[in-house]
Amino acid sequence: MTISSQDMVQQLSGQLHLVSEIAESLTLRLLALEERFHELSEKLDSVEPEQADDSDSFLLLADSSDRLVQLRGLLNEQAKDESHGEAPRLEVVIDSHVDSDNDMEAPEDFGLEQTVHVNDSQELPSECVDPDLEQSDELLSA
């Protein structure tokens, strides 16, 4: 089975023809890709000026963010000042059970507010006790 030189040339020319068709197909695809690339780059160029306007928006957002951080800092400082800035106030306490017969000096008024204390003990002050109630207590204890 020897192949004649003419058959071999014919076979090689057929393979060369297939390679040239593949090269042509690849060249057409490459040209299509180049056209598409140029179209996309033109669109990108037309969009870039709009993005420049967005950079102004980004600057405004960054400035607003900085202002918000400053405001939060001021609010935190103010809250700390209010909680720590209040010094305890001294107030004059007047005992309502002190007899008026005592020769104690009257407390000096230093311009302080008077604090009213509530008697929360179980016993009623003597001036508030109802005499009828005392009699019923005596009857109950008998």
Side-chain angles (χ1 to χ4, degrees), residues 75-92:
L75 287 173
N76 289 337
E77 286 178 18
Q78 185 179 9
K80 287 179 184 176
D81 288 345
E82 287 178 0
S83 65
H84 296 297
E86 290 184 13
R89 296 186 321 192
L90 299 176
E91 299 176 353
V92 176

Side-chain angles (χ1 to χ4, degrees), residues 91-107:
E91 299 176 353
V92 176
V93 177
I94 300 175
D95 193 359
S96 62
H97 296 236
V98 175
D99 293 333
S100 60
D101 296 336
N102 278 341
D103 292 325
M104 293 182 65
E105 294 180 4

Side-chain angles (χ1 to χ4, degrees), residues 87-138:
R89 296 186 321 192
L90 299 176
E91 299 176 353
V92 176
V93 177
I94 300 175
D95 193 359
S96 62
H97 296 236
V98 175
D99 293 333
S100 60
D101 296 336
N102 278 341
D103 292 325
M104 293 182 65
E105 294 180 4
E108 294 181 28
D109 184 16
F110 293 109
L112 302 175
E113 298 176 14
Q114 182 177 358
T115 302
V116 178
H117 293 278
V118 177
N119 184 4
D120 60 351
S121 66
Q122 297 297 321
E123 297 179 13
L124 294 173
S126 61
E127 57 207 32
C128 297
V129 175
D130 187 12
D132 295 332
L133 185 62
E134 284 183 13
Q135 289 177 358
S136 65
D137 285 342
E138 289 173 9

Side-chain angles (χ1 to χ4, degrees), residues 22-114:
I22 292 171
E24 181 183 0
S25 172
L26 289 174
T27 305
L28 290 174
R29 286 185 180 180
L30 183 62
L31 288 173
L33 283 173
E34 284 180 356
E35 286 180 26
R36 175 116 188 206
F37 173 76
H38 288 295
E39 288 175 9
L40 291 174
S41 65
E42 287 176 5
K43 286 182 181 179
L44 181 65
D45 291 339
S46 67
V47 171
E48 282 181 359
E50 293 175 13
Q51 290 179 349
D53 294 337
D54 289 342
S55 66
D56 292 339
S57 299
F58 288 124
L59 291 175
L60 286 173
L61 285 174
D63 186 41
S64 298
S65 175
D66 292 342
R67 286 183 182 179
L68 286 173
V69 168
Q70 289 175 350
L71 287 174
R72 284 184 186 139
L74 290 173
L75 287 173
N76 289 337
E77 286 178 18
Q78 185 179 9
K80 287 179 184 176
D81 288 345
E82 287 178 0
S83 65
H84 296 297
E86 290 184 13
R89 296 186 321 192
L90 299 176
E91 299 176 353
V92 176
V93 177
I94 300 175
D95 193 359
S96 62
H97 296 236
V98 175
D99 293 333
S100 60
D101 296 336
N102 278 341
D103 292 325
M104 293 182 65
E105 294 180 4
E108 294 181 28
D109 184 16
F110 293 109
L112 302 175
E113 298 176 14
Q114 182 177 358

Side-chain angles (χ1 to χ4, degrees), residues 5-19:
S5 65
Q6 189 175 9
D7 289 337
M8 187 185 245
V9 169
Q10 208 173 19
Q11 187 180 7
L12 285 175
S13 68
Q15 289 177 352
L16 185 60
H17 183 71
L18 287 173
V19 169

